Amino acid sequence: AQSVTQLDSHVSVSEGTPVLLRCNYSSSYSPSLFWYVQHPNKGLQLLLKYTSAATLVKGINGFEAEFKKSETSFHLTKPSAHMSDAAEYFCVVREGYGGSQGNLIFGKGTKLSVKP
Amino acid sequence: DSGVTQTPKHLITATGQRVTLRCSPRSGDLSVYWYQQSLDQGLQFLIQYYNGEERAKGNILERFSAQQFPDLHSELNLSSLELGDSALYFCASSVEVGGDTQYFGPGTRLTVL
């Protein structure tokens, strides 16, 4: 079964400093991986996705993630945090076979706080 | 704005009652997914429809059911509600059943008193 593990439930950074949100995945084959963001009282917005093309994926708002098969990781980074980045971030893997094809499996989420 | 709409935004009801949540997918999307977000369970997949047919079931209770209509909108029916059903319910849509990006609606917040 596929799964994702977000290694930190809460990350706090200062504005202007780098952001690193960690995610490890478990899959028996090359997965499709996503990062979604959820701002308070809002829906989920896709930040970026990896679907077996380039291993370094660039997303919206300056975020990027690198797929590392050897480490089974898909960490999300941003060089410089902005106050508006404060939100909850979800690492997601998509079911890729069988009757559940297409369904998303979410990590527990990482809450990012940005201090002025 | 993802193009996925959900109504109502908020719903407050009592235990034992039945409610219906509605979702309209993005124009051209044939697949609809329902997810539940609660403090206990996090975000989890409930059920998926493609072009009117059920395609997959996740952790959906027997008290819950859904359908997708010919115009592709979908409804999630929750009955015999319990306090633990209080959650945010999201609908997502995608073009095909297994493919590509899912776009999420703003969610319906259900409170069961």
Side-chain angles (χ1 to χ4, degrees):
Chain A
Q2 297 177 90
S3 65
V4 287
T5 302
Q6 292 184 244
L7 300 171
D8 306 292
S9 59
H10 191 196
V11 169
S12 182
V13 301
S14 296
E15 192 174 20
T17 64
V19 175
L20 170 63
L21 304 183
R22 299 181 295 163
C23 173
N24 286 351
Y25 70 90
S26 172
S27 176
S28 56
Y29 54 91
S30 187
S32 293
L33 293 161
F34 307 79
W35 277 97
Y36 279 84
V37 62
Q38 184 178 28
H39 286 92
N41 300 314
K42 299 277 187 181
L44 291 149
Q45 181 184 20
L46 178 70
L47 273 180
L48 50 80
K49 63 181 179 182
Y50 167 78
T51 53
S52 73
T55 56
L56 183 61
V57 182
K58 292 190 184 300
I60 62 171
N61 301 334
F63 284 95
E64 62 181 38
E66 187 171 7
F67 175 74
K68 291 187 176 180
K69 188 175 180 178
S70 61
E71 299 176 10
T72 61
S73 69
F74 189 58
H75 301 335
L76 181 70
T77 60
K78 182 173 180 178
S80 176
H82 192 273
M83 295 297 291
S84 61
D85 295 327
E88 188 148 25
Y89 293 78
F90 294 93
C91 182
V92 182
V93 64
R94 186 176 67 209
E95 294 265 24
Y97 61 93
S100 299
Q101 187 182 29
N103 308 331
L104 300 181
I105 300 168
F106 285 79
K108 297 280 187 192
T110 298
K111 187 172 181 180
L112 175 65
S113 300
V114 182
K115 298 174 289 189
Chain B
D1 184 2
S2 66
V4 179
T5 60
Q6 290 187 248
T7 56
K9 272 190 171 180
H10 302 278
L11 200 48
I12 301 175
T13 187
T15 54
Q17 295 299 305
R18 173 190 166 95
V19 297
T20 297
L21 313 183
R22 183 188 167 102
C23 167
S24 292
R26 291 188 324 152
S27 177
D29 285 359
L30 299 178
S31 197
V32 169
Y33 309 77
W34 285 97
Y35 294 86
Q36 179 194 57
Q37 184 178 30
S38 65
L39 288 174
D40 300 342
Q41 304 290 331
L43 257 162
Q44 55 178 1
F45 165 71
L46 295 179
I47 197 165
Q48 175 197 6
Y49 278 82
Y50 177 75
N51 205 19
E53 293 189 5
E54 181 184 306
R55 290 302 298 260
K57 269 185 173 180
N59 298 322
I60 188 167
L61 300 171
E62 285 194 13
R63 301 183 284 108
F64 296 1
S65 65
Q67 54 183 328
Q68 186 180 26
F69 295 86
D71 67 353
L72 301 176
H73 91 271
S74 178
E75 292 180 356
L76 178 67
N77 301 296
L78 315 176
S79 61
S80 302
L81 286 167
E82 302 174 359
L83 296 177
D85 297 328
S86 296
L88 197 50
Y89 291 85
F90 287 108
C91 166
S93 73
S94 67
V95 174
E96 298 185 4
V97 64
D100 219 45
T101 304
Q102 291 184 25
Y103 294 89
F104 282 77
T108 293
R109 182 170 294 281
L110 173 66
T111 302
V112 182
L113 301 175

